[in-house]
Amino acid sequence: MKTYQLYVNGEYVNAKSSAQIDVVDPATAEVIARTPDANKEDVDAAVQAARAAFDDGPWKDATAQDRGRVLFKLAQIVRDRADELAEIETRNSGKPIVEAEGDMEDVATCFEYYGGLATKIHGDVLPVPDNAISLALREPIGVAGQIVPWNYPLLMATWKMAPAICAGCTVVVKPAEQTPMSLLELASSFSDAGLPPGVVNVVTGNGETAGAAIVEHPNVDKIAFTGSPEVGRIIMRGAAGTLKKISLELGGKSPNIFFADSDFEAAVDGALFGIFINQGEVCSAGSRILVQRPIYRKFVDAMAEKAKTIKLGNGLDRATKMGPVVSREQFDRVRMYQDIGKKEAKVAAGGNRATGGALDKGYFVEPTIFYDVDNSDRIAREEIFGPVASVIPFDDEEQALKIANDTYYGLAAAVWTRDIFKAMRAVKKLKAGIVWVNAMQPTYVEAPWGGYKQSGVGRELGTWGVEEYMQVKQVFINLSENPVNWF
Ligand code: NAI
Ligand code: MG
């Protein structure tokens, strides 16, 4: 069992805090590692390192080309270490190894994208009416505090670190307490990639303490967070004291809408994939499945039949399609919603803890499909973040879109139909930051990611993602001999 240290100022260091966090393999419920539970002093040391690296270190003189090369090197290192990192990710988060390998590919691609973007960030020349040159310069915002969730541990960290490095910021990143291992392992390659000491610092610890200390630190200029809306609100308040720029990605209750004219087989698979990929621990999970009446019953039956064939097991087994949920806490939460669902609606599949053989030890739950769900039910309103689908019938287009938009969330939505006009009407009316047509979940680094309504603030990925780490400086250069014509 490995005992990790913090990664600060280019090296692994002991925490000043003596408290530790047990890291658990959710497939076996065994402790597989320990990390420091960093305190305020530890966070302060990491922030000081990031501050010094931003203000005085070699990083401030790194050119855009230099930053691009570092990011390409990080991508190459992730590719070289992909098998090792994917296995760690699976052991720590429970996700199927095939999905963890996909994550590592996405991590490398994300570093590459921002490696390429580094040299394309440029300012503007503005047509002001004077004899002057007016410029808008785009500069890095400074020290970025980044708070990462446990569902895609290394990928979510990368969505935040890569654009920050691209922009020329320095970083203090905190992985989720449940899943710190992949990022702590990758940190051993940071200096090989050419990151000077202090540019990226990794601090492990609990959210209420270490996370809050990052949010409130006066020397942190920006906070990026992915997680629950409750914590999103806490972070907004915490950042108010020092008026930090924030970006928040807070999940959803995303509608996946199936019209009667959609390709039936593809639609059923799209519904299942949309909610059961990564054990349903996906911010954009299609957790509300809206199905038009003429195909409703057949659709529910087809989903249920296929859901029962999903092979649960240890994620390290290549045959596994669904692993355990990430933690005891999340297991209890999903079980609670399974019980609520049984009272609120009808069960088409699952509804219980998954048992039998090795499953008994870990945090396994059955892929669950509730149907005849009403959109006012708790299982239709509250994010469950597990393999639990709520199927809701609808009569016509207008009703479907009304139900779809009747939620405080607005991260993603999908619509399935063969009618391009119907699809485009839905695209215009859906109040969500991401809308898929005849697909659910494809996510590309080139395209913006983030929520409408209470699903968040700001956007990650693409050129939008790097804006979150930059600020604009307006410059006026007078060219006339007597500019102050006042006396
Ligand atoms: P959480 O929001 O508490 O944790 C996410 C991250 O925030 C972790 O790194 C945690 O240490 C940190 N954090 C927690 N409290 C904090 C605070 N006061 N200040 C600063 N940082 C803090 O999520 P949790 O409790 O693990 O899961 C609860 C629910 O949140 C899930 O069931 C799910 O619905 C939602 N969630 C959504 C995610 C998404 O991708 N949008 C990811 C993870 C959870
Ligand atoms: Mg929490």
Side-chain angles (χ1 to χ4, degrees):
M1 187 177 60
K2 192 156 174 180
T3 299
Y4 287 95
Q5 297 167 288
L6 307 177
Y7 184 83
V8 176
N9 209 21
E11 54 186 0
Y12 289 103
V13 297
N14 287 325
K16 294 177 186 81
S17 160
S18 57
Q20 298 219 312
I21 297 174
D22 287 341
V23 180
V24 172
D25 175 349
T28 62
E30 280 162 17
V31 176
I32 51 171
R34 287 205 175 88
T35 65
D37 181 7
N39 62 20
K40 233 174 153 165
E41 268 183 276
D42 292 312
V43 168
D44 188 56
V47 172
Q48 294 316 327
R51 185 84 255 163
F54 186 80
D55 290 342
D56 310 311
W59 192 240
K60 81 178 182 350
D61 300 319
T63 63
Q65 290 183 1
D66 293 335
R67 298 198 304 274
R69 276 190 284 266
V70 166
L71 287 159
F72 284 121
K73 193 79 199 288
L74 278 167
Q76 188 54 51
I77 288 167
V78 170
R79 290 190 195 287
D80 294 344
R81 295 182 62 185
D83 289 347
E84 168 209 343
L85 291 170
E87 190 182 319
I88 287 166
E89 200 77 309
T90 286
R91 287 191 72 208
N92 194 175
S93 70
K95 69 174 67 199
I97 186 74
V98 179
E99 292 185 30
E101 287 165 358
D103 288 4
M104 295 312 130
E105 178 62 31
D106 289 348
V107 166
T109 306
C110 185
F111 281 129
E112 280 161 357
Y113 175 88
Y114 284 106
L117 188 64
T119 48
K120 284 90 190 164
I121 297 169
H122 52 73
D124 294 294
V125 183
L126 309 167
V128 297
D130 276 303
N131 181 16
I133 294 174
S134 174
L135 305 173
L137 307 184
R138 292 166 76 220
E139 299 187 336
I141 194 156
V143 175
Q146 306 184 326
I147 298 172
V148 176
W150 41 257
N151 55 340
Y152 290 87
L154 193 57
L155 185 58
M156 290 301 103
T158 303
W159 281 22
K160 294 175 170 44
M161 297 187 298
I165 294 167
C166 174
C169 289
T170 60
V171 168
V172 175
V173 54
K174 190 192 86 61
E177 49 273 40
Q178 299 87 346
T179 55
M181 291 173 70
S182 50
L183 178 57
L184 283 166
E185 291 291 342
L186 182 62
S188 70
S189 296
F190 283 170
S191 67
D192 292 341
L195 280 171
V199 175
V200 179
N201 306 275
V202 183
V203 171
T204 53
N206 282 304
E208 298 74 11
T209 48
I214 296 171
V215 172
E216 286 158 20
H217 201 294
N219 261 329
V220 172
D221 302 294
K222 186 240 151 51
I223 296 291
F225 166 75
T226 301
S228 59
E230 296 71 41
V231 175
R233 288 186 191 94
I234 293 171
I235 286 178
M236 219 176 199
R237 281 195 289 270
T242 44
L243 292 168
K244 290 181 177 64
K245 181 165 173 164
I246 54 169
S247 49
L248 308 173
E249 202 269 78
L250 308 176
K253 198 72 196 177
S254 297
N256 199 359
I257 307 166
F258 298 90
F259 286 102
D261 66 354
S262 54
D263 176 335
F264 189 81
E265 297 297 321
V268 170
D269 287 354
L272 293 166
F273 183 81
I275 182 61
F276 291 144
I277 186 82
N278 205 52
Q279 301 78 236
E281 296 167 325
V282 180
C283 49
S284 56
S287 51
R288 287 187 300 146
I289 297 171
L290 279 51
V291 184
Q292 201 165 17
R293 293 256 184 220
I295 58 166
Y296 178 69
R297 199 53 242 202
K298 195 174 150 207
F299 198 95
V300 171
D301 290 344
M303 271 186 80
E305 201 180 311
K306 270 203 167 162
K308 286 170 190 162
T309 68
I310 293 172
K311 190 177 176 318
L312 271 80
N314 190 311
L316 293 174
D317 179 349
R318 288 203 165 263
T320 293
K321 267 263 179 301
M322 185 183 287
V325 296
V326 73
S327 64
R328 177 81 217 189
E329 185 188 350
Q330 198 58 18
F331 175 81
D332 290 341
R333 185 182 167 90
V334 174
R335 290 284 301 110
M336 177 188 83
Y337 280 108
Q338 285 178 324
D339 289 340
I340 292 171
K342 282 184 227 170
K343 296 195 189 97
E344 289 182 328
K346 297 182 185 133
V347 181
N352 298 298
R353 168 177 202 164
T355 52
L359 300 185
D360 293 342
K361 286 194 293 174
Y363 307 132
F364 292 91
V365 293
E366 292 173 342
T368 298
I369 300 168
F370 292 114
Y371 70 107
D372 285 2
V373 176
D374 190 278
N375 198 49
S376 63
D377 290 337
R378 285 185 69 188
I379 56 167
R381 302 206 79 75
E382 298 171 20
E383 184 175 53
I384 300 173
F385 226 68
V388 181
S390 298
V391 188
I392 304 171
F394 68 87
D395 292 309
D396 58 18
E397 190 178 325
E398 193 190 333
Q399 191 193 15
L401 297 174
K402 190 159 174 263
I403 295 171
N405 286 331
D406 180 12
T407 166
Y408 290 114
Y409 286 111
L411 183 60
V415 56
W416 299 68
T417 173
R418 284 177 161 128
D419 178 343
I420 183 74
F421 301 102
K422 204 189 288 174
M424 289 311 295
R425 285 193 296 270
V427 164
K428 283 189 81 170
K429 285 192 182 140
L430 285 165
K431 293 188 172 59
I434 301 139
V435 178
W436 290 293
V437 176
N438 294 331
M440 179 93 209
Q441 300 307 3
T443 303
Y444 299 103
V445 66
E446 294 83 359
W449 186 269
Y452 279 25
K453 300 198 271 184
Q454 295 190 26
S455 283
V457 175
R459 291 291 180 276
E460 297 192 290
L461 300 184
T463 54
W464 298 265
V466 85
E467 293 300 330
E468 303 285 345
Y469 294 94
M470 311 222 46
Q471 54 194 347
V472 177
K473 179 182 284 170
Q474 189 243 100
V475 181
F476 178 88
I477 305 164
N478 166 54
L479 300 179
S480 66
E481 294 291 335
N482 182 16
V484 186
N485 194 9
W486 191 53
F487 295 97

